[in-house]
Amino acid sequence: MRLKILGGDEIDALYAHPRFTHEERVEHFALSPAEVAALEQLHSIKSKIFFILQLGYFKACHMFFVFDLREVEDDVGYIREMYFPDTDQVDPTIAKGTRLKQQRLILELCNYRAWNTEEQKKLAARSRQAATVSGKPIYIFRELTHYLLENRIVAPGYSLMQDTVGGALAYEQRRLASIMRSHLEQSETEALDRLLEEVSPVAWQHINQYGRHEFRQQPAPVDVEEIVRELADVQIETDSTLAA
């Protein structure tokens, strides 16, 4: 089970292909001289229509989508009227190789970088950094989204973002637990271990994803951050007693 960060409507708003108003079509399907030159490299009208669609959607959302022309008939109608008024109906599908070739051309035109394993490593490092500031998944998600836009990197899919945020939260919880262990007495470490042993694997999965877990027969939730804070208070009190 993956970490839940966004609701269904929010996921659609971010990851579904745009649904333009007329004004948005005018804005996003307009072509610069460089884009017209790139368009002229394509041969068929169908390829050119797909190119303008992919380019317009990328300008709006900075990501690519898989679709056929039947799903975006209103956008196709506008493009045909604007650029190819004498064109008849065209095949609504396009070959994957052609679609990917057009995407590489669009990245070059827009000065964006494609998503790859190297960018994934950088995003994971950024997410771990964000997790030291806040344990809220939505905060880390927004930080990563800002990072991608700022560095002109194509955003990965939602499932990968979920895994990245969930991994960062789990990493930060382990880091905090390790720090606390280094400041605890042996008896306190053993008490903490006994407490953590009582948490089931399923509960730990929830804790690693959400930072807490609600038990059906126990109203009080297990909250890792709260445990860390309480242990820190115990250590402070112990140090003060020894100092006195």
Side-chain angles (χ1 to χ4, degrees):
M1 184 176 62
R2 284 193 165 100
L3 173 66
K4 181 178 180 181
I5 304 174
L6 304 175
D9 291 343
E10 295 169 314
I11 294 172
D12 287 342
L14 287 175
Y15 291 97
H17 70 75
R19 293 167 175 79
F20 288 156
T21 63
H22 175 74
E23 291 73 18
E24 290 169 333
R25 293 187 185 102
V26 172
E27 176 184 358
H28 295 299
F29 292 143
L31 300 177
S32 68
E35 292 163 352
V36 171
L39 183 69
E40 292 174 351
Q41 299 177 29
L42 307 177
H43 301 293
S44 70
I45 297 298
K46 180 179 75 170
S47 291
K48 292 180 178 181
I49 291 175
F50 265 100
F51 174 78
I52 296 173
L53 286 167
Q54 288 205 91
L55 178 61
Y57 295 157
F58 188 82
K59 289 177 183 178
C61 301
H62 307 107
M63 63 179 65
F64 294 111
F65 307 91
V66 178
F67 57 88
D68 68 34
L69 299 186
R70 289 167 295 197
E71 299 176 67
V72 291
E73 289 181 347
D74 290 342
D75 293 339
V76 172
Y78 173 83
I79 291 170
R80 288 178 58 191
E81 181 180 346
M82 187 70 183
Y83 297 103
F84 315 106
D86 299 324
T87 302
D88 295 328
Q89 294 289 337
V90 297
D91 181 358
T93 63
I94 193 168
K96 180 179 179 179
T98 301
R99 174 168 53 83
L100 296 178
K101 182 179 179 180
Q102 290 185 3
Q103 290 176 3
R104 290 192 291 270
L105 182 57
I106 290 168
L107 290 176
E108 183 178 349
L109 285 169
C110 298
N111 192 29
Y112 257 72
R113 302 204 302 271
W115 179 255
N116 53 44
T117 54
E118 186 61 31
E119 299 299 345
Q120 184 173 347
K121 292 177 183 177
K122 294 178 182 178
L123 193 71
R126 183 73 176 206
S127 68
R128 290 194 294 269
Q129 180 182 358
T132 65
V133 178
S134 173
K136 294 182 178 180
I138 188 61
Y139 171 83
I140 302 173
F141 181 88
R142 288 170 178 165
E143 285 294 303
L144 297 186
T145 300
H146 177 73
Y147 168 82
L148 293 168
L149 289 172
E150 188 177 55
N151 289 275
R152 305 183 76 82
I153 303 168
V154 177
Y158 178 59
S159 61
L160 194 146
M161 292 287 279
Q162 288 175 289
D163 292 343
T164 302
V165 173
L169 290 171
Y171 179 89
E172 179 62 12
Q173 289 164 5
R174 292 192 298 268
R175 187 185 73 85
L176 291 174
S178 176
I179 292 173
M180 290 309 305
R181 287 177 186 277
S182 68
H183 290 82
L184 292 176
E185 298 293 338
Q186 180 65 28
S187 60
E188 295 168 334
T189 301
E190 292 174 355
L192 175 61
D193 289 339
R194 287 195 298 271
L195 172 64
L196 298 182
E197 286 173 359
E198 295 177 1
V199 183
S200 71
V202 173
W204 270 120
Q205 183 180 14
H206 281 255
I207 292 169
N208 284 338
Q209 291 181 339
Y210 303 109
R212 61 194 297 121
H213 177 70
E214 300 284 350
F215 292 95
R216 291 182 179 179
Q217 297 180 346
Q218 180 180 333
V222 172
D223 190 323
V224 171
E225 293 183 0
E226 181 63 24
I227 292 173
V228 171
R229 286 193 294 269
E230 290 181 1
L231 290 173
D233 291 340
V234 169
Q235 182 63 29
I236 291 172
E237 290 177 2
T238 301
D239 291 344
S240 298
T241 302
L242 292 175

